[in-house]
Amino acid sequence: MSLMVVGSMAFDAIETPFGKSDRIIGGAATYIAWSASNFCQPIRQLSVVGYDFPKEELTVLEDRGVVMEGVQIKKDEKTFFWSGRYHMDMNTRDTLDTQLNVLANFEPIVPESYQGAEFLMLGNLVPAVQHSVIKQMKERPRLIVMDTMNFWMEVAHADLLEVIKEVDVLLVNDSEARELSNEYSLVKAARKILTMGPKYLIIKKGEHGALLFHGDNVFFAPALPLEDVFDPTGAGDTFAGGFIGHIARTRDISYENMKTAIIVGSAMASFCVEKFGTERLRELSKADIEARIRQFQELVNFDIELV
Ligand code: AMP
């Protein structure tokens, strides 16, 4: 199994109704790597950071089988910075600040050793960069999964549509699905988005779970009802990491296996929100993850006798 992960590595500053963080480590590819490395190693990481990104943060991930050859370190530029504030419902947030810094002129270079990757996870990043990575792959990966966000729909809409054409699975949240399709109904939105390129569409609905659409089929994975949610940042990326990690581990890209993969993704996301930033993901054991996946099984398992 070989998995390549592309996305931002960042500093975040987060405000929730329950607390506030200073600059902490974040970024889409960071969360994806923390999550996916529980299922699949090595992971070939492609990203960019500035001089201010702590070396130890790369080392802890390397120790978990994340290869950093494709992570450029810009000696005289700052790391990407994002800051957001969550509303009381913890499902919606406002972006307070996005400082692209190293992302502004990022030209990704796919190292020779990354060629031949079977699975490609395009985490949230400049759409043109995501596209450039696809174009640099000499052999098309078996499955290309892409995540994005409303920010790129607003500042790089045309580029975004070009990448979407090239991918197999698109991951968006409910408001992004509506924005992308101009449809309020998620069923109509999904139908429209599935004509834009991807064969599979995952719509994340925060604490209300996630939907997987494929042709005329729909599958639903709930979110675990949690007593405390401290910080939803990175939940979507952690979900993506669990999803692609499971697919890469099993090497099965069928719709049936994608159903399991969205349960694994939901289980991983449920950990992410329990503490600030990547904190909770750093302390997880295999047993914790297995127990949580069992909880999901119990959550949706029921018997019925129909007369
Ligand atoms: P999520 O909560 O799953 O949507 O992901 C939040 C992470 O995405 C944060 O750690 C941010 O650093 C990162 N992020 C926020 N905005 C962007 C952006 N425009 N491009 C790439 N990454 C971003």
Side-chain angles (χ1 to χ4, degrees):
M1 61 191 151
S2 57
L3 170 61
M4 185 172 154
V5 169
V6 181
S8 56
M9 296 182 82
F11 285 121
D12 291 343
I14 302 152
E15 285 178 39
T16 78
F18 308 105
K20 198 174 165 171
S21 77
D22 287 331
R23 264 181 13 145
I24 56 172
I25 297 295
T30 312
Y31 283 101
I32 295 170
W34 274 104
S35 178
S37 54
N38 289 290
F39 306 96
C40 152
Q41 294 184 10
I43 289 175
R44 300 191 162 82
Q45 189 91 338
L46 194 146
S47 188
V48 62
V49 295
Y51 61 85
D52 48 355
F53 196 81
K55 297 274 171 305
E56 315 81 75
E57 288 298 330
L58 301 178
T59 318
V60 278
L61 281 172
E62 276 171 334
D63 293 344
R64 297 173 62 94
V66 183
V67 179
M68 294 294 173
E69 194 188 338
V71 177
Q72 298 178 28
I73 303 175
K74 300 281 180 195
K75 295 274 174 290
D76 34 42
E77 288 177 68
K78 280 176 149 179
T79 298
F80 172 72
F81 173 77
W82 174 81
S83 139
R85 184 191 292 134
Y86 288 86
H87 300 181
M88 199 59 208
D89 66 3
M90 293 290 254
N91 250 1
T92 46
R93 70 181 177 205
D94 296 323
T95 289
L96 301 176
D97 196 6
T98 299
Q99 294 173 19
L100 289 177
N101 299 329
V102 285
L103 285 192
N105 298 306
F106 176 40
E107 288 183 13
I109 301 165
V110 176
E112 199 46 44
S113 65
Y114 285 24
Q115 291 292 346
E118 204 176 346
F119 303 99
L120 173 58
M121 176 69 232
L122 297 171
N124 190 11
L125 197 61
V126 188
V129 171
Q130 293 176 316
H131 206 177
S132 160
V133 170
I134 298 178
K135 286 192 271 195
Q136 287 180 54
M137 300 305 287
K138 292 178 190 156
E139 203 182 313
R140 190 190 191 274
R142 270 179 74 208
L143 192 78
I144 305 180
V145 181
M146 172 188 177
D147 189 13
T148 188
M149 104 191 256
N150 51 355
F151 180 79
W152 301 116
M153 293 176 193
E154 284 138 34
V155 307
H157 194 80
D159 287 353
L160 184 68
L161 293 181
E162 285 302 307
V163 207
I164 288 179
K165 271 190 207 160
E166 304 288 329
V167 307
D168 301 300
V169 184
L170 179 69
L171 275 160
V172 282
N173 68 29
D174 42 2
S175 66
E176 291 157 355
R178 291 183 171 119
E179 188 168 339
L180 192 59
S181 63
N182 277 319
E183 293 284 357
Y184 183 79
S185 147
L186 290 181
V187 174
K188 285 187 183 158
R191 203 174 295 138
K192 220 176 204 178
I193 295 170
L194 287 174
T195 64
M196 297 178 180
K199 292 183 275 307
Y200 303 87
L201 171 70
I202 297 171
I203 301 185
K204 299 165 287 173
K205 289 159 58 72
E207 64 168 331
H208 305 299
L211 293 161
L212 168 66
F213 292 90
H214 172 54
D216 290 329
N217 304 302
V218 194
F219 178 73
F220 173 67
L224 197 69
L226 292 168
E227 239 168 83
D228 295 307
V229 172
F230 279 104
D231 172 21
T233 308
D237 311 312
T238 307
F239 176 99
F243 176 83
I244 197 67
H246 174 79
I247 300 272
R249 183 179 71 77
T250 54
R251 302 185 62 202
D252 176 353
I253 58 171
S254 66
Y255 175 64
E256 283 308 308
N257 195 42
M258 282 190 198
K259 292 181 184 176
T260 313
I262 74 166
I263 299 283
V264 174
S266 304
M268 295 309 293
S270 74
F271 286 118
C272 175
V273 303
E274 288 178 335
K275 290 192 176 173
F276 263 101
T278 51
E279 208 180 324
R280 185 73 177 108
L281 299 179
R282 291 170 195 249
E283 54 189 35
L284 291 182
S285 67
K286 205 165 180 277
D288 293 329
I289 296 171
E290 283 173 6
R292 186 67 52 107
I293 293 175
R294 293 269 165 266
Q295 273 181 280
F296 269 81
Q297 271 187 319
E298 280 161 33
L299 193 65
V300 288
N301 206 358
F302 69 93
D303 283 326
I304 184 166
E305 249 179 63
L306 293 173
V307 279

